[in-house]
Amino acid sequence: MSETLNLRSKRVLVTGAAGFLGSFLCERLLAADCEVLGVDNYHTGTRRNIAHLLDHANFEMMRHDVTHPLYVEVDEIFNLACPASPVHYQFDPVQTTKVCVHGSINMLGLARRCGARILQASTSEIYGDPEVHPQPESYRGNVNTLGPRACYDEGKRCAETLFFDYRRQHNLPIKVIRIFNTYGPRMHPNDGRVVSNFICKALTSEDITVYGDGHQTRSFCFVDDLIEGMLRMMATPENITGPVNLGNPEEFTMLQLAEKVIELTGSSSKIVHLPLPQDDPTRRKPDITLARNTLNWEPTIELQDGLARTIDYFERLLRSKNVIANEKPLPFAATA
Ligand code: NAD
Ligand code: UDP
Ligand code: UDP
């Protein structure tokens, strides 16, 4: 009997499975012989991202909004459900806070009932517009609680609090990762985030929209590196809870990024400047000492290579007109 139990695959729940990161995570878990239950309400994710997994014997997809309770039996939970692009999370800010807070409470309640491990996809946004550079996990952040980004920043901060309270109050095995800007194939073409925006504009010869003077910085991590770090974090001993920063410490200005995308696509697009959105962080770069020491992890894919792979994806996507024509357009504007 116990042998049978040991041979059973691990049952893993991925919320936000049809999103950019969620779809890659499901693939990696299936490759590791897990039984994967994907949950998504398709708010910003698309069926296209997980279409190739639907016939897999160990994969099941459920349409569900995590702000409502969910009763399933699982061993591990990766809680990724939440819009991640500023354009998306500001479209319905109240819903964004609900996903972060109510969604986390439901997933933590589920983990508690099942005795499951649970990992929270937190974010570098909890540091706000940082006054400490690069950002270590010990930095407590500089968030404007009243601004347009607060629905996400404060929602994610509250989610972290909930995770640590469930740990203290119910001894739940929790893991918290703080993800810094991650990019790659399967980002939504109307996502509004800088990498997908610049690439899609470059490929369609439209002006590349740099917000502000373009001297603000971000550090970009390719999706494969990020998923590897996420899986390593989930596999750590129970006493390791995080939060752990996961991101690529190589820092670029948005102007440098725009120039790189133009160079790699050979595009004739021009750079134009648009107003900087309110509370846009001036600079961001992870201190990944903790991830290096605890997870033996660091990114391996250079921006140049990751961008080339992402450009290749968008080239194919933009060519397949049927895919775009049949796709439900997102209800929000793609650009500022
Ligand atoms: P994404 O928008 O592509 O994916 C999010 C997924 O969650 C989508 O499929 C969406 O439909 C789903 N979702 C949203 N609300 C939901 C709800 N109420 N119920 C069920 N599903 C819901 O974004 P992503 O880049 O894949 O981000 C995944 C997670 O990682 C998010 O929690 C995000 O905050 C976090 N994160 C991402 C980054 C990044 O750079 N990609 C950085 C920091 C944190
Ligand atoms: N919950 C869920 N699935 C479960 C168990 C709980 O969705 O399998 C939700 C339910 O909505 C509950 C919340 O998680 O209110 C928090 O659960 P917890 O056990 O922490 O507290 P409760 O609210 O039940 O006292
Ligand atoms: N940005 C830009 N042009 C765009 C989209 C974004 O210059 O078309 C800038 C944005 O103002 C920010 C940076 O790129 O400074 C990263 O934006 P993104 O929305 O990708 O993520 P953020 O890190 O702000 O959450």
Side-chain angles (χ1 to χ4, degrees):
M1 177 69 182
S2 66
E3 208 171 58
T4 317
L5 279 177
N6 287 339
L7 286 176
R8 180 173 62 68
S9 302
K10 208 167 19 178
R11 300 160 305 180
V12 185
L13 168 63
V14 175
T15 75
F20 160 49
L21 296 181
S23 61
F24 282 100
L25 176 62
C26 290
E27 264 176 26
R28 285 288 305 269
L29 291 166
L30 289 169
D33 280 335
C34 297
E35 260 181 54
V36 180
L37 173 61
V39 160
D40 207 294
N41 68 350
Y42 301 104
H43 178 46
T44 57
T46 93
R47 283 173 193 75
R48 178 165 29 93
N49 284 346
I50 35 106
H52 62 296
L53 302 179
L54 293 177
D55 286 338
H56 197 296
N58 282 345
F59 185 69
E60 189 182 349
M61 193 65 205
M62 180 193 271
R63 185 187 190 109
H64 175 79
D65 181 331
V66 294
T67 61
H68 301 295
L70 175 66
Y71 288 85
V72 290
E73 307 307 318
V74 289
D75 305 305
E76 278 182 3
I77 304 170
F78 288 85
N79 190 34
L80 273 59
C82 183
S85 153
V87 177
H88 292 180
Y89 68 64
Q90 289 172 31
F91 173 75
D92 187 348
V94 174
Q95 177 63 17
T96 298
T97 304
K98 278 190 195 168
V99 179
C100 292
V101 178
H102 295 187
S104 290
I105 291 175
N106 286 331
M107 292 309 102
L108 286 160
L110 171 62
R112 186 180 163 209
R113 183 181 56 75
C114 295
R117 274 184 175 215
I118 180 165
L119 178 144
Q120 168 67 357
S122 190
T123 165
S124 53
E125 276 286 321
I126 66 108
Y127 300 122
D129 190 4
E131 291 156 320
V132 171
H133 193 78
Q135 294 82 55
E137 290 83 354
S138 55
Y139 177 50
R140 292 188 184 173
N142 176 37
V143 171
N144 173 7
T145 58
L146 309 177
R149 297 174 85 100
C151 57
Y152 184 74
D153 301 9
E154 294 295 346
K156 289 283 190 178
R157 287 172 73 96
C158 184
E160 286 198 3
T161 306
L162 283 163
F163 269 68
F164 279 84
D165 281 338
Y166 267 78
R167 169 83 182 163
R168 277 184 289 262
Q169 204 171 325
H170 301 302
N171 204 26
L172 204 67
I174 62 151
K175 310 277 171 195
V176 175
I177 55 169
R178 292 181 179 156
I179 305 171
F180 284 64
N181 296 63
T182 301
Y183 70 99
R186 299 195 203 139
M187 293 181 89
H188 199 285
N190 292 340
D191 189 272
R193 284 184 272 192
V194 69
V195 173
S196 41
N197 257 14
F198 284 4
I199 292 178
C200 289
K201 302 269 182 193
L203 292 177
T204 53
S205 306
E206 288 175 55
D207 289 343
I208 293 193
T209 52
V210 169
Y211 302 157
D213 63 12
H215 290 121
Q216 71 272 33
T217 67
R218 295 293 186 273
S219 307
F220 297 103
C221 186
F222 190 66
V223 58
D224 291 1
D225 280 334
L226 194 279
I227 300 297
E228 177 63 31
M230 197 185 285
L231 290 168
R232 285 190 192 200
M233 182 61 182
M234 186 59 117
T236 51
E238 202 168 312
N239 63 319
I240 293 179
T241 56
V244 174
N245 287 340
L246 291 182
N248 192 321
E250 262 209 272
E251 189 181 5
F252 296 89
T253 68
M254 294 312 101
L255 270 181
Q256 285 173 325
L257 178 71
E259 280 154 11
K260 241 182 207 311
V261 168
I262 289 174
E263 179 197 316
L264 289 171
T265 52
S267 173
S268 57
S269 293
K270 301 275 169 293
I271 292 175
V272 296
H273 290 265
L274 293 179
L276 190 67
Q278 188 190 331
D279 294 338
D280 200 280
T282 318
R283 51 196 191 151
R284 181 183 286 160
K285 168 182 161 131
D287 177 335
I288 59 163
T289 311
L290 187 60
R292 280 196 176 106
N293 293 343
T294 325
L295 309 177
N296 192 23
W297 175 89
E298 63 182 2
T300 57
I301 298 158
E302 306 246 339
L303 184 63
Q304 180 99 354
D305 300 334
L307 280 180
R309 286 153 76 168
T310 312
I311 289 166
D312 185 55
Y313 168 80
F314 278 111
E315 246 168 359
R316 280 184 283 117
L317 186 72
L318 295 174
R319 249 187 269 126
S320 57
K321 288 206 180 84
N322 286 340
V323 173
I324 301 291
N326 291 336
E327 189 168 314
K328 173 180 75 87
L330 293 173
F332 6 71
T335 52

